Amino acid sequence: MNARALFMGTAAAAVMAVAGSLAPVTALAEGAAANIVRAATDLPAPLARQTAETVSIELETIELVGQLDDGTTYRYWTFDGKVPGPFARVRVGDTVEVRLKNHEDSWMVHNVDFHAVTGLHGGGHATMADPGEESQGFTFKALNPGLYVYHCAVPLAAQHIANGMYGLILVEPEGGLPPVDREFYVMQGEIYTEEAHGSRGELGESYDKLLNEMPEYYVFNGAANALTEGKALHAEVGETVRIYFGVGGPNKTSSFHVIGEIFDKVYNLGGLTAEPLTDIQTISVPPGGAAAIDFKVEVPGEYILVDHALSRAARGLVGKLIVEGPEQPDVYREGVPERLGLLAE
Ligand SMILES: [Cu+2]
């Protein structure tokens, strides 16, 4: 299997970026900023194979000016031009060949450290690449199933992560995960700009705020309010959904919550071999950590993805899951009988 198969949807996302931004933010006057938001639907399908194989992951580190907020841009450092980087999907026992190239227009050295790797720096040592260079790469055996973060680990790693260099790799257990109707890919991060939240134009990074852990922006999939409007998550009443949720960080633990829903199952901390937690309201996901969350959507409406440290919502950390279908008054309806006149007789 090649990287294209592993990262199905990346090309489609690139086409969408060219065709016009689907992000809720409006076009900038200069029109030069890229849409760096990776769609929550941009992940490969379950592998559905019974045997281990040799698979390839090919990444390119790209620095580019992207749209951070309405009228606001930022120079992102990315894997493959989007935040988060591509969702990698392998199976336990697979032998994985990782190749990393650093785009010639980069200013910085980059690499990649996969938490799914057992070995030196998670591959970080073998993937160091100067601008315009390709690293020697590395090969690893996926020993432990789970949902893992990967990230750039070039010093100062916190800076590379804050600028967008993180993603998830799923190592499917034998037999895979229980099937669901829809799978989504969501990651949380922080951005430390010199200018205050809400400033317009191209913002610069603040080293002081980074070291003091005082971000101006909090983001799902790279930009303020990115997973709303044209990039909201969608499902139909009665479907089961799974969110692969990770925190790039670099610093803040997420108290991930979906307003109006209860997580039926949580693969806590990304562990896929223990029994999942059940009936959970909010999960705690540390930087460099992840969780898979399953729930059935029983009632139509707009469900809001948040970090329940809710001040962060005002700094960009809001997403939406839009559920369509017939009303389910047995599960939820507005009003109580006497207020609706139903007890009149
Ligand atoms: Cu980097």
Side-chain angles (χ1 to χ4, degrees):
M1 177 178 295
N2 62 26
R4 282 303 129 217
L6 273 172
F7 296 146
M8 247 178 344
T10 302
V15 169
M16 276 161 51
V18 170
S21 169
L22 292 179
V25 286
T26 56
L28 294 167
E30 57 269 37
N35 175 5
I36 55 79
V37 175
R38 186 171 299 281
T41 49
D42 188 6
L43 73 168
L47 295 175
R49 57 180 161 84
Q50 305 305 316
T51 54
E53 291 182 2
T54 296
V55 299
S56 174
I57 293 175
E58 294 177 23
L59 296 170
E60 184 174 25
T61 54
I62 300 171
E63 302 170 12
L64 76 176
V65 175
Q67 217 161 332
L68 168 59
D69 201 351
D70 195 359
T72 304
T73 63
Y74 185 72
R75 186 176 170 87
Y76 287 89
W77 304 352
T78 72
F79 291 105
D80 288 14
K82 296 282 181 187
V83 182
F87 189 99
R89 194 159 196 157
V90 305
R91 181 191 181 279
V92 66
D94 280 354
T95 298
V96 186
E97 298 171 354
V98 178
R99 296 172 176 83
L100 182 134
K101 182 182 184 310
N102 189 355
H103 195 276
E104 60 190 11
D105 292 338
S106 293
W107 299 348
M108 311 296 293
V109 178
H110 299 296
N111 72 357
V112 63
D113 166 351
F114 282 87
H115 292 180
V117 169
T118 305
L120 186 64
H121 300 179
H125 184 261
T127 51
M128 294 282 283
D130 286 319
E133 301 294 318
E134 180 162 355
S135 67
Q136 64 176 313
F138 68 98
T139 304
F140 76 97
K141 193 172 192 97
L143 298 178
N144 300 72
L147 182 63
Y148 298 95
V149 168
Y150 67 85
H151 62 90
C152 181
V154 171
L156 184 71
Q159 180 189 23
H160 287 248
I161 292 169
N163 286 342
M165 302 194 79
Y166 49 82
L168 289 179
I169 176 171
L170 174 65
V171 181
E172 292 190 358
E174 279 186 35
L177 287 170
V180 292
D181 294 310
R182 294 176 193 260
E183 292 188 327
F184 298 106
Y185 176 26
V186 178
M187 287 192 80
Q188 178 169 330
E190 308 119 40
I191 298 179
Y192 299 80
T193 58
E194 190 65 48
E195 299 81 359
H197 175 267
S199 300
R200 297 175 77 86
E202 185 175 336
L203 308 189
E205 60 181 323
S206 169
Y207 200 73
D208 283 347
K209 288 178 188 173
L210 175 64
L211 292 187
N212 288 317
E213 303 185 18
M214 294 175 64
E216 293 289 343
Y217 288 84
Y218 288 86
V219 293
F220 288 135
N221 290 19
N225 310 312
L227 303 180
T228 61
E229 310 290 333
K231 285 200 171 166
L233 288 59
H234 285 267
E236 304 284 331
V237 166
E239 288 184 330
T240 49
V241 305
R242 174 172 297 141
I243 300 175
Y244 294 108
F245 180 77
V247 176
N251 297 315
K252 304 295 186 179
T253 294
S254 176
S255 303
F256 186 67
H257 176 77
V258 177
I259 297 174
E261 262 298 346
I262 298 158
F263 303 148
D264 297 328
K265 285 190 213 171
V266 173
Y267 297 89
N268 199 31
L269 300 174
L272 301 178
T273 44
E275 279 299 305
L277 305 174
T278 53
D279 307 320
I280 302 295
Q281 60 194 306
T282 299
I283 55 167
S284 187
V285 182
I293 299 146
D294 292 1
F295 55 98
K296 185 174 178 180
V297 288
E298 290 93 347
V299 176
E302 288 195 357
Y303 297 84
I304 314 297
L305 280 58
V306 293
D307 178 332
H308 219 288
L310 281 166
S311 295
R312 299 172 183 178
R315 290 181 173 244
L317 203 51
V318 175
K320 276 188 185 175
L321 166 64
I322 298 171
V323 178
E324 291 176 299
E327 295 291 336
Q328 304 294 322
D330 287 352
V331 181
Y332 182 84
R333 61 182 182 272
E334 300 203 336
V336 289
E338 71 279 12
R339 298 291 290 170
L340 297 173
L342 297 180
L343 293 183
E345 278 77 30

